[in-house]
């Protein structure tokens, strides 16, 4: 009987030891796992371990720009919808290479990069809907559009963004590469091509200070100021695009020059001066 009690006591003690060992082992593993998510922080006198809250928090600032660009690609006009629209609509070309945007000349690409830079009002390398609004506000602030014209201008700017780049969202951005691709698509789609630059007449009316129906070199300088360009560039450009030398541009001439800038790849056309000096690269 005594022997049985002794054996029972030994078993109970052994069981307690095993449970204690298990707890210690588990605590050790947890501590080791915790060390993986800690970093050493020193204040000049002592160093201590500080746990990371989340790896995403650590990398957030480094990748903010990348996240915005990725968001832009996924939340603008979807690629599959873009291709579907292109195949369903009447296109200027059936060439697969053209549909991928590989046929445009470097001259045309320079022109599109120039416009992207102009529309990037806050100069962060990306075009947002806010840039579009700031761009339109520059012209409206001149005070030459009446209330109806100003409202129409804002509505057309909004519609143009939605048709070309999708949702009006603070994280929907257009990179230079995306702008090149989308403008190529617009030019290959006759329906979009007709609508793409319907806001040009409002730029004309905004700088037609005396409401004469013509723009003088002085008023053209206002146009360039709204583009963020200086008067010297405006004078040079006006001298080139005023082909008949009458010292003024009509609404028809202005709109034609603005559209021709986007559509032609002929570097001898005077329309290349319409949006100011072409950027390099």
């Amino acid at each position: 009987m005594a022997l049985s009690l002794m054996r029972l006591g030994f078993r109970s003690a052994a069981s307690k030891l095993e449970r204690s060992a298990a707890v210690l082992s588990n605590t050790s593993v947890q501590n080791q796992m915790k060390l993986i998510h800690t970093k050493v922080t020193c204040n000049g006198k002592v160093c201590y371990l500080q746990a990371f809250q989340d790896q995403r928090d650590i990398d957030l600032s480094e990748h903010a720009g990348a996240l915005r660009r990725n968001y832009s690609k996924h939340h603008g006009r979807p690629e599959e919808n873009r291709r579907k629209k292109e195949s369903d609509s009447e296109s200027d070309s059936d060439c697969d290479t053209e549909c991928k945007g590989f046929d445009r000349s470097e001259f045309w690409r320079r022109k599109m990069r120039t416009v992207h830079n102009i529309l990037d009002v806050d100069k962060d390398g990306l075009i947002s809907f806010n840039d579009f609004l700031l761009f339109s506000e520059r012209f409206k602030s001149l005070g030459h559009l009446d209330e109806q014209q100003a409202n129409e201008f804002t509505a057309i700017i909004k519609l143009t963004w939605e048709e070309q780049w999708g949702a009006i969202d603070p994280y929907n951005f257009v990179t230079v590469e995306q702008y090149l691709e989308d403008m190529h698509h617009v030019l290959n789609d006759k329906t979009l091509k007709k609508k793409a630059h319907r806001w040009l007449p409002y730029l004309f009316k905004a700088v037609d200070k005396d409401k004469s129906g013509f723009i003088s070199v002085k008023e053209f300088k206002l146009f360039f100021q709204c583009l963020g360009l200086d008067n010297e560039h405006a004078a040079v450009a006006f001298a080139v695009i005023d082909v008949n030398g009458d010292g003024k541009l009509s609404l028809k001439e202005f709109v034609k020059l603005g559209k021709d800038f986007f559509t032609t790849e002929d570097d001898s056309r005077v329309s290349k001066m319409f949006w100011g000096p072409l950027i390099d690269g």
Side-chain angles (χ1 to χ4, degrees), residues 135-148:
F135 178 77
S136 65
E137 286 299 326
R138 284 180 174 179
F139 287 90
K140 289 192 294 184
S141 66
L142 295 174
H144 305 148
L145 295 176
D146 60 33
E147 184 177 354
Q148 180 180 347

Side-chain angles (χ1 to χ4, degrees), residues 210-221:
D210 58 8
K211 301 187 184 301
S212 65
F214 294 92
I215 289 179
S216 64
V217 63
K218 185 177 180 180
E219 291 168 325
F220 193 74
K221 289 178 180 180

Side-chain angles (χ1 to χ4, degrees), residues 10-230:
F10 285 136
R11 287 177 183 173
S12 177
S15 177
K16 290 181 179 179
L17 287 172
E18 288 176 359
R19 286 197 298 270
S20 298
V23 171
L24 289 172
S25 176
N26 184 52
T27 303
S28 178
V29 170
Q30 290 178 349
N31 288 338
Q32 290 177 11
M33 291 297 293
K34 186 176 181 181
L35 286 174
I36 295 175
H37 300 284
T38 57
K39 63 180 180 179
V40 176
T41 302
C42 299
N43 60 16
K45 295 180 180 180
V46 64
C47 294
Y48 56 94
L49 293 177
Q50 179 180 355
F52 289 161
Q53 293 181 355
D54 192 307
Q55 186 62 33
R56 287 173 300 178
D57 294 335
I58 300 168
D59 297 336
L60 183 60
S61 60
E62 296 179 7
H63 298 293
L67 288 173
R68 291 192 306 175
R69 288 168 174 78
N70 288 336
Y71 189 98
S72 173
K73 292 179 181 178
H74 293 297
H75 290 72
R77 188 174 66 226
E79 183 71 16
E80 59 271 19
N81 291 346
R82 183 185 306 151
R83 295 302 177 226
K84 184 177 185 301
K85 286 182 180 180
E86 185 166 318
S87 62
D88 290 345
S89 62
E90 184 180 5
S91 174
D92 289 336
S93 173
D94 295 324
C95 175
D96 290 337
T97 303
E98 286 190 5
C99 292
K100 293 178 182 177
F102 294 140
D103 68 318
R104 296 294 176 183
S105 66
E106 180 55 30
F107 172 66
W108 181 84
R109 292 172 183 272
R110 280 185 67 197
K111 291 196 295 181
M112 295 308 103
R113 286 193 287 267
T114 298
V115 177
H116 182 278
N117 184 60
I118 289 172
L119 295 177
D120 176 20
V121 178
D122 60 12
K123 301 305 176 190
D124 64 352
L126 303 163
I127 299 175
S128 65
F129 180 66
N130 187 57
D131 283 315
F132 254 43
L133 288 181
L134 291 173
F135 178 77
S136 65
E137 286 299 326
R138 284 180 174 179
F139 287 90
K140 289 192 294 184
S141 66
L142 295 174
H144 305 148
L145 295 176
D146 60 33
E147 184 177 354
Q148 180 180 347
Q149 291 172 332
N151 290 336
E152 289 175 355
F153 187 22
T154 300
I156 286 177
I157 286 290
K158 179 177 181 291
L159 186 60
T160 300
W161 177 273
E162 291 175 328
E163 288 181 344
Q164 293 188 220
W165 295 295
I168 295 177
D169 187 286
Y171 292 97
N172 185 10
F173 296 86
V174 182
T175 65
V176 175
E177 294 77 13
Q178 189 176 347
Y179 185 77
L180 287 168
E181 180 183 349
D182 284 355
M183 288 309 301
H184 174 86
H185 165 71
V186 166
L187 296 182
N188 279 340
D189 187 312
K190 288 184 177 179
T191 302
L192 289 178
K193 187 176 178 180
K194 290 178 181 178
K195 299 178 180 179
H197 305 105
R198 55 194 162 191
W199 40 271
L200 283 171
Y202 293 92
L203 305 187
F204 179 93
K205 294 173 184 177
V207 298
D208 182 16
K209 186 176 181 179
D210 58 8
K211 301 187 184 301
S212 65
F214 294 92
I215 289 179
S216 64
V217 63
K218 185 177 180 180
E219 291 168 325
F220 193 74
K221 289 178 180 180
L222 286 178
F223 173 59
F224 264 42
Q225 286 174 17
C226 291
L227 301 183
L229 303 172
D230 60 38

